[in-house]
Amino acid sequence: MKTAAIVGDFPVIQEEERKYIQRVKSLMRSERLIALISGDFLQPGIPASEDKYQRARKLCDAGVDLVFELPVYCGLNAQDTYAFTVMAFLEKLGCVEEVYLSCHLKKETAEQESPQELLKKVSMRMFMETPDYQKKLKTLKNQGCNHFEAQARVVEAYIPGAEMILRDTENAWAAEYMKALKKMYSPIKPVLLQGTLHMDEAAEMTGEKEEYLSDQGIVEGHSRAFPEANGDNVEPERKLWDERLLRMLQERFRSLESKKATEWLNETFGGTTARSETLYDFFRS
């Protein structure tokens, strides 16, 4: 049975997200649709407005057949590592044929190159990662630029017009996902579709993060979104941290030698050796 996938933080599931899912289902050639989402915390490090179980139920009500959660230690990671982990997860499932990537691209005109084609060129440039490209990216990050901002400025030097596209968070994520697929030489086909499925990076850069947290009631140590953080009674299944998963991973790591555990992390989650060693040391302790 052919399978399509959608990926994103899905901080909330509202009418816009439901319409996006319906558009995917009307376009996809596959017979079932899966979603890979962040858990209770989103990639920028802030909590979702609803817990993962509520969001998963809403996704299924909107037409998704199956929802997977990205492990928290992969979800709360740098953008490029996050994107690679997401695509590696879909690749490991062995049944996904196409992945729909949300984007914000203007309609093309006769005088201009197609924005879709330009974004594909951008992802190829990112995939190549020449030493010169890496050096420029590292320099800008050391100067205080976040990953997406630094990447937009560096790619612009190679592809005119790239910065304008990559300044939009949704487009930057789409490019990262396509780059990850190229790195794995994956047969999964990326399909660009207008929509918003990620937390806007601008919230982190402009100070809107504090406003977002305040909207969720996460001020002065109180959280409306996660009553367990306030000591309130909650169902065991709604624990903020999945203690069973943590115990399982700890037992798994203890049973493996350091080198084998690192290789297992690399193979399972697509991490780099240095990052996997850090994860291994954390769970060992």
Side-chain angles (χ1 to χ4, degrees), residues 70-71 73-74 81 84-86 88-89 92 249 253 264-271 279:
L70 190 67
Y73 42 85
C74 298
T81 304
F84 189 90
T85 305
V86 167
F89 192 111
K92 292 290 183 180
L249 285 170
F253 291 158
W264 180 76
L265 277 169
N266 287 345
E267 177 69 17
T268 304
F269 301 115
L279 284 171

Side-chain angles (χ1 to χ4, degrees), residues 47 216-219 221-230 232:
Q216 304 309 319
I218 307 170
V219 291
H222 182 77
S223 169
R224 288 198 306 268
F226 305 110
E228 60 268 34
N230 312 319
D232 300 337

Side-chain angles (χ1 to χ4, degrees), residues 103-257:
C103 63
H104 294 159
L105 296 175
K106 297 180 181 179
K107 293 182 179 180
E108 60 184 291
T109 63
E111 298 79 17
Q112 297 177 327
E113 182 179 17
S114 164
Q116 288 83 359
E117 291 303 317
L118 183 57
L119 188 57
K120 290 177 182 177
K121 280 186 180 180
V122 167
S123 68
M124 177 58 75
R125 176 72 258 182
M126 291 160 53
F127 162 70
M128 292 168 66
E129 287 189 332
T130 60
D132 180 59
Y133 175 93
Q134 293 176 339
K135 183 179 179 179
K136 291 179 179 178
L137 193 64
K138 185 177 181 179
T139 298
L140 287 174
K141 287 183 178 180
N142 289 338
Q143 292 175 357
C145 295
N146 67 25
H147 177 74
F148 281 162
E149 183 181 5
Q151 189 165 257
R153 291 171 61 179
V154 173
V155 177
E156 176 69 21
Y158 298 93
I159 304 176
E163 184 172 6
M164 182 176 294
I165 285 182
L166 292 179
R167 281 288 182 176
D168 184 283
T169 299
E170 216 66 30
N171 295 339
W173 275 117
E176 282 289 355
Y177 290 134
M178 288 192 287
K179 180 184 78 172
L181 289 173
K182 293 179 189 297
K183 277 190 172 183
M184 293 183 290
Y185 297 94
S186 172
I188 298 176
K189 177 185 177 183
V191 182
L192 297 171
L193 186 63
Q194 293 285 119
T196 303
L197 303 183
H198 296 86
M199 183 68 191
D200 193 348
E201 278 299 298
E204 186 172 9
M205 293 187 290
T206 64
E208 293 178 13
K209 179 189 286 187
E210 287 76 12
E211 182 180 349
Y212 177 87
L213 294 175
S214 177
D215 290 342
Q216 304 309 319
I218 307 170
V219 291
E220 299 180 358
H222 182 77
S223 169
R224 288 198 306 268
F226 305 110
E228 60 268 34
N230 312 319
D232 300 337
N233 292 326
V234 293
E235 299 175 12
E237 69 168 357
R238 291 191 57 198
K239 286 290 184 183
L240 185 57
W241 298 98
D242 193 333
E243 297 175 359
R244 289 174 299 175
L245 175 61
L246 290 177
R247 285 199 299 270
M248 181 193 73
L249 285 170
Q250 287 172 335
E251 291 172 2
R252 173 65 172 161
F253 291 158
R254 291 191 185 102
S255 68
L256 296 172
E257 296 177 5

Side-chain angles (χ1 to χ4, degrees), residues 35-55:
L36 180 56
I37 69 172
S38 297
D40 289 324
F41 284 90
L42 310 180
Q43 190 276 330
I46 59 179
S49 58
E50 296 179 310
D51 70 42
K52 57 190 177 184
Y53 301 106
Q54 290 177 317
R55 286 152 57 220

